[in-house]
Amino acid sequence: MADRRAISTRAWRRVGAIAILALLPLAFAACRRPAPPPPAASVVFILVDTLRADHLGVYGYARPTSPTIDGLAAESLVFRHARSVAPWTNPTIASLFTGRRPTAVLEPALHRQASHTRLPPELPLLAEKLQAAGLRTAALVDHPGISPGLGFARGFETFTRTFEGADRPRWGFTDGKIVLEAFARQLQAFGDERFFLYLHLVYPHRPYAPPPPYDTMFGEITDKTTREFREPMINAYDAEIRYTDDVVRDLLAELARQGRLDESWIVLTSDHGEGFWEHGRDEHGNSLFDELLRVPLIVRPPKSAGIAPRSITSPVSLLDLHATVLQAAAGDRLAAERAERGGGRSLLRYLDGEGPALIDDVVSQQQHTGDVHATAIVRGASKLILRADPKAERLRLFDVASDPGEHAEISAQQEELTRRLERALLQHVARDTRDRANLAERTPGVLDADEIAKLKALGYLQ
Ligand SMILES: [Zn+2]
């Protein structure tokens, strides 16, 4: 019996081996078959204003500023080298909502003018497109600059300015509980329908004023903003990130409580970073160095889609977010239309991995203070900053792989590469300028005096 069983086992093993060999080509073909398109599902888009990527654990920060965001990242596509299109709020959100780079939407202008210039009314916005595709839409916005008066509310069924309900003196202090309550109410209002929910949180933005118990988490803090107080300023900034992380934790818990967490796409990013004198300046809006451009970008697919988490090292631009949200929320058709018209391409192209054909130039622009009209291009590990001011050093080239702090300027050693990148950058800028010139309304209107006075009272405009 024992021998017969042994023979029989050997025979079965042989049959099994033959079957496996016969099936191998089929299995191989199955592996190479393109992945099914990702599901169109609700999108919760969390934009945390002024959040540097390198102050989060998932991007290598040593301090425990971001346990929730790190956990979210572990289930997500994490873009390790994402850069914003601009180093301050309005141009970045104008780009997210229109799918164009900022200078293809707005005249380059200083903050004082640009922060109350309306979006061109003829450009259809992200929420309008999604509404037309049948989605419910809502925005919860903590930032007074992203105002309905400038056109940013177009396409949103409800556009709630969460700082208006806060009892704190200035907009940058808004209480997370107010956002959470508005979020819970909004989710209930959506019922079972597919939705796009845009959340714009502002805590890490100045003034750095973390509430207790966060204020003591990372050492002494200050409300001063001069260079000698750099360390306590960073402590306060980190404490505000830690506070934000708990707000995100509560938002995700509410999504889960209402049964919408696992079936939704979650996008978490920022509009720009923050400077602490790495290149002689603080705050933001005043240069195109990476402390202002590098932002977190985390895209968590619906659990039901069974998409594996992945870390993406190719450089990507926030220009791609418009097409990404279109594809995630409404399917392939709208996103493909966007790409054909010269906007960004959906980042869901990275769901199956990376490759040279997926990589685009990353172009950033400056329209705030300091180096006005500066532009920058990132191609692979090379980053070129071009400034229009002929009195200043016009071209600066950095190898951001070997020199991520951008301290060693190498344009003199890499003249051919510098010229090539300059040509490419000027072509991108020329295209944007042409697109803006083709808008019917060349000079979009500005806010009226009442609204400007309101922004001044909130401390947003001087
Ligand atoms: Zn901002």
Side-chain angles (χ1 to χ4, degrees):
M1 283 294 283
D3 278 346
R4 209 178 299 155
R5 256 205 314 269
I7 290 163
S8 152
T9 306
R10 274 201 301 275
W12 274 115
R13 276 195 190 133
R14 217 166 21 242
V15 170
I18 291 164
I20 287 167
L21 282 173
L23 288 171
L24 262 180
L26 285 177
F28 189 59
C31 288
R32 291 195 308 166
R33 202 180 300 149
S42 296
V43 174
V44 179
F45 192 105
I46 304 172
L47 186 131
V48 181
D49 210 286
T50 322
L51 182 56
R52 289 172 66 132
D54 63 357
H55 278 238
L56 298 176
V58 54
Y59 289 91
Y61 202 42
R63 285 179 162 178
T65 51
S66 54
T68 298
I69 294 172
D70 298 348
L72 182 73
E75 301 175 341
S76 301
L77 306 182
V78 178
F79 294 88
R80 313 230 51 111
H81 298 280
R83 286 182 177 80
S84 184
V85 288
W88 69 285
T89 313
N90 286 44
T92 302
I93 308 305
S95 172
L96 167 67
F97 283 11
T98 62
R100 294 171 165 223
R101 277 192 291 265
T103 44
V105 183
L106 304 166
E107 293 283 341
L110 291 175
H111 180 255
R112 188 177 291 272
Q113 183 192 336
S115 60
H116 48 88
T117 302
R118 289 185 208 280
L119 297 175
E122 72 193 89
L123 289 181
L125 303 186
L126 180 59
E128 289 178 296
K129 294 177 190 177
L130 293 174
Q131 207 170 32
L135 275 85
R136 305 283 306 273
T137 57
L140 303 177
V141 176
D142 238 357
H143 193 302
I146 301 307
S147 122
L150 299 179
F152 285 100
R154 270 171 30 212
F156 290 109
E157 279 172 49
T158 57
F159 189 95
T160 307
R161 306 180 86 185
T162 39
F163 56 88
E164 287 182 340
D167 59 0
R168 299 193 187 191
R170 282 168 58 114
W171 64 281
F173 291 102
T174 315
D175 191 334
K177 281 201 199 80
I178 292 172
V179 174
L180 187 64
E181 283 163 16
F183 181 73
R185 272 197 308 275
Q186 190 56 61
L187 282 181
Q188 264 161 12
F190 286 145
D192 294 333
E193 294 179 79
R194 187 149 42 106
F195 65 83
F196 168 57
L197 181 47
Y198 175 73
L199 276 145
H200 191 135
L201 310 177
V202 293
Y203 315 111
H205 195 289
R206 280 192 191 176
Y208 310 134
Y214 306 92
D215 54 346
T216 55
M217 279 185 176
F218 300 111
E220 186 195 345
I221 66 169
T222 181
D223 57 1
K224 307 263 189 336
T225 54
T226 51
R227 192 171 187 155
E228 63 195 295
F229 295 102
R230 182 174 184 270
E231 290 310 317
M233 282 171 68
I234 292 174
N235 294 344
Y237 174 73
D238 286 345
E240 292 217 327
I241 295 174
R242 184 66 185 76
Y243 173 65
T244 307
D245 192 80
D246 277 359
V247 173
V248 172
R249 177 199 63 198
D250 294 346
L251 292 168
L252 297 179
E254 183 60 31
L255 258 183
R257 202 183 65 76
Q258 297 205 28
R260 306 303 296 264
L261 179 65
D262 286 347
E263 61 172 64
S264 303
W265 292 88
I266 316 273
V267 180
L268 188 140
T269 188
S270 182
D271 51 348
H272 51 79
E274 184 81 329
F276 292 99
W277 292 278
E278 289 83 353
H279 292 91
R281 288 177 174 158
D282 61 320
E283 215 175 355
H284 54 266
N286 46 28
S287 84
L288 292 176
F289 289 111
D290 275 352
E291 58 269 21
L292 300 194
L293 294 184
R294 290 276 302 276
V295 289
L297 180 50
I298 294 166
V299 180
R300 179 190 178 272
K303 276 259 170 75
S304 53
I307 295 167
R310 189 183 287 280
S311 188
I312 290 116
T313 57
S314 304
V316 300
S317 169
L318 295 195
L319 175 67
D320 289 343
L321 281 180
H322 184 96
T324 307
V325 174
L326 285 179
Q327 186 179 12
D332 290 332
R333 191 181 55 80
L334 286 176
E337 276 175 23
R338 182 67 246 142
E340 275 166 25
R341 290 180 201 154
R345 293 197 282 166
S346 169
L347 290 167
L348 303 191
R349 67 185 185 270
Y350 286 106
L351 283 177
D352 298 328
E354 300 183 66
L358 302 181
I359 301 175
D360 295 332
D361 288 343
V362 175
V363 174
S364 305
Q365 299 155 324
Q366 162 67 302
Q367 317 166 40
H368 188 297
T369 52
D371 294 339
V372 176
H373 306 332
T375 47
I377 182 168
V378 174
R379 186 178 278 181
S382 302
K383 175 175 171 184
L384 182 78
I385 301 175
L386 167 64
R387 291 193 288 180
D389 182 357
K391 287 176 290 191
E393 190 184 13
R394 236 185 113 250
L395 288 167
R396 282 177 289 187
L397 181 70
F398 300 96
D399 183 318
V400 286
S402 63
D403 174 30
E406 298 163 285
H407 299 302
E409 201 286 297
I410 53 170
S411 59
Q413 296 94 300
Q414 298 274 0
E415 279 188 35
E416 207 276 317
L417 175 62
T418 302
R419 294 295 154 219
R420 201 164 59 235
L421 288 175
E422 184 188 14
R423 276 197 302 276
L425 181 51
L426 291 174
Q427 280 169 5
H428 288 299
V429 171
R431 176 176 190 150
D432 290 348
T433 308
R434 209 169 48 237
D435 284 349
R436 192 180 70 242
N438 285 335
L439 291 172
E441 193 176 330
R442 295 282 181 84
T443 313
V446 295
L447 283 180
D448 59 32
D450 274 1
E451 294 221 46
I452 291 173
K454 221 190 266 180
L455 291 180
K456 283 184 177 167
L458 285 160
Y460 184 62
L461 288 178
Q462 266 82 51

